[in-house]
Amino acid sequence: MTPSLTRPVALVTGASAGLGLALAHGLAERGWTLIIDARGADALKTAADALAAKTDVVPLAGDVTDPEHRADLAAAVGELGRLDLLVNNASYLGPSPLQPLAAADLTELRRVYEVDVIAPIALTQVLLPELADAAGLVVNISSDAAVEAYESWGGYGSAKAALDHATRVLAAEHPELGVYAVDPGDLRTAMHQAAFPGEDISDRPEPATVVPAFLRLLDNRPASGRYRAADFATAVTP
């Protein structure tokens, strides 16, 4: 690992695939030093090997709901000496196919809340000193299910709604930070496929297509709040 006191540092969770990996590549191409995590060690190594051709990258396999793993991530930030951006991307949809709330498996529902609400809050807590020192940014990946009442999306949608509100509160409590909940829109990811098992989702855009919108958000640093990637559509128009 190469300590980086001058280059910006980002921590991206759930970065072995999908939107997290696409965002990591977008940041790497801009020279950001990266700390990335995911539960699957093999997939994370593959991602890190590809990113290492572009920038310094620290891969740490683990589960964001595990306090020891979060401590390891914080230690990596401490070794690099700064943190400019935290992307809480790691998410859990719940069982596939999705379940109506009246029949929801409560153990699975607790896991959805642990991954999608508690873990992002907990990770932000341990990294607040470094984020504050850098007047940094927190990006919590949201969903339109946080604001729309789709049948069978009650667990995931209500968890993302809770994360949205936690984002607003964190922004009010830490005006020195830029704190965002961002709905990326429907994307061609494994999670989206799990939400629609057996269906053809090839019409959904690839995750990389929304990366320019996220980078534009980082560049513009608008007021803290909830945004859609589509709000930055000028960045994704060819």
Side-chain angles (χ1 to χ4, degrees):
M1 180 168 57
T2 303
S4 175
L5 295 176
T6 57
R7 297 166 60 189
V9 176
L11 192 166
V12 183
T13 66
S16 65
L19 177 61
L21 180 58
L23 289 173
H25 275 282
L27 293 167
E29 288 165 1
R30 288 188 164 200
W32 286 63
T33 294
L34 297 174
I35 302 167
I36 59 173
D37 98 327
R39 285 184 299 158
D42 291 344
L44 186 66
K45 182 180 184 306
T46 299
D49 288 348
L51 289 163
K54 302 175 181 176
T55 190
D56 298 321
V57 56
V58 181
L60 289 171
D63 189 324
V64 289
T65 66
D66 180 356
E68 291 187 4
H69 177 58
R70 293 196 296 267
D72 289 343
L73 293 170
V77 168
E79 190 169 344
L80 287 172
R82 63 185 290 171
L83 183 66
D84 303 85
L85 169 64
L86 168 63
V87 182
N88 284 308
N89 169 71
S91 300
Y92 179 53
L93 179 69
S96 175
L98 294 170
Q99 301 173 331
L101 273 179
D105 182 312
L106 297 183
T107 298
E108 289 285 349
L109 188 57
R110 289 189 184 92
R111 172 70 180 167
V112 170
Y113 272 73
E114 285 288 340
V115 176
D116 296 355
V117 185
I118 303 300
I121 293 172
L123 187 56
T124 303
Q125 285 179 339
V126 300
L127 296 173
L128 270 173
E130 290 81 4
L131 287 165
D133 285 346
L137 305 166
V138 178
V139 175
N140 293 321
I141 301 302
S142 187
S143 166
D144 65 334
V147 294
E148 299 290 344
Y150 300 127
E151 290 184 16
S152 77
W153 286 76
Y156 180 80
S158 62
K160 288 297 185 181
L163 181 61
D164 280 9
H165 195 72
T167 301
R168 294 177 59 198
V169 173
L170 182 66
E173 293 176 345
H174 294 275
E176 77 278 15
L177 303 178
V179 189
Y180 308 107
V182 182
D183 168 15
D186 291 348
L187 299 172
R188 199 182 314 168
T189 64
M191 177 180 286
H192 196 76
Q193 184 68 75
F196 300 97
E199 294 187 22
D200 180 6
I201 65 166
S202 61
D203 60 330
R204 276 68 161 186
E206 295 281 2
T209 60
V210 298
V211 170
F214 277 84
L215 296 178
R216 185 177 177 88
L217 180 144
L218 301 182
D219 290 343
N220 291 351
R221 194 169 177 144
S224 294
R226 187 182 197 280
Y227 294 92
R228 299 173 305 146
D231 294 330
F232 301 88
T234 54
V236 297
T237 301

